[in-house]
Amino acid sequence: MMTSTSPSSSNSSSWALTRALVHQYQWFHVILGLIGNGTFVVGSVFFLWDSWQQAGTWLFIIGSVGMLIGSIGSAIVTYERSKGRQPGEVDNQQDDT
């Protein structure tokens, strides 16, 4: 019998909470994607001038990270919905993967 203080139970709880937060605040992923796309566009335009290429490179990198985080969050939301979970649901059950 596992107690609530066992490492696997604690990891399961924190993962369930993380899933719930990611699922509940799915609009945040959309905003990160939009910011990422915007910085991509601005960074790409900066590549047209030699004096702005370094700034363009950094904007491109920042945009990539924003889009990656947004996509990961959206993937988690899609996965949670495929399992029949609703936004904000927190449970300590293991996934059937």
Side-chain angles (χ1 to χ4, degrees):
M1 179 179 210
M2 291 176 58
T3 63
S4 63
T5 59
S6 71
S8 63
S9 177
S10 175
N11 288 340
S12 179
S13 295
S14 66
W15 174 241
L17 182 58
T18 301
R19 284 190 331 218
L21 290 173
V22 167
H23 198 184
Q24 187 170 6
Y25 296 106
Q26 57 192 328
W27 54 267
F28 184 71
H29 314 296
V30 174
I31 291 172
L32 275 177
L34 290 172
I35 290 170
N37 284 322
T39 57
F40 259 141
V41 170
V42 174
S44 297
V45 171
F46 282 6
F47 281 122
L48 297 174
W49 298 279
D50 289 337
S51 61
W52 287 92
Q53 282 186 358
Q54 185 174 6
T57 301
W58 281 109
L59 286 175
F60 214 76
I61 292 169
I62 292 167
S64 297
V65 170
M67 289 178 65
L68 178 64
I69 293 170
S71 294
I72 289 170
S74 294
I76 292 171
V77 168
T78 301
Y79 175 77
E80 290 297 306
R81 285 189 177 164
S82 74
K83 294 290 187 180
R85 296 184 183 107
Q86 297 300 317
E89 256 184 26
V90 178
D91 61 4
N92 290 327
Q93 297 174 355
Q94 296 290 332
D95 286 332
D96 301 335
T97 55

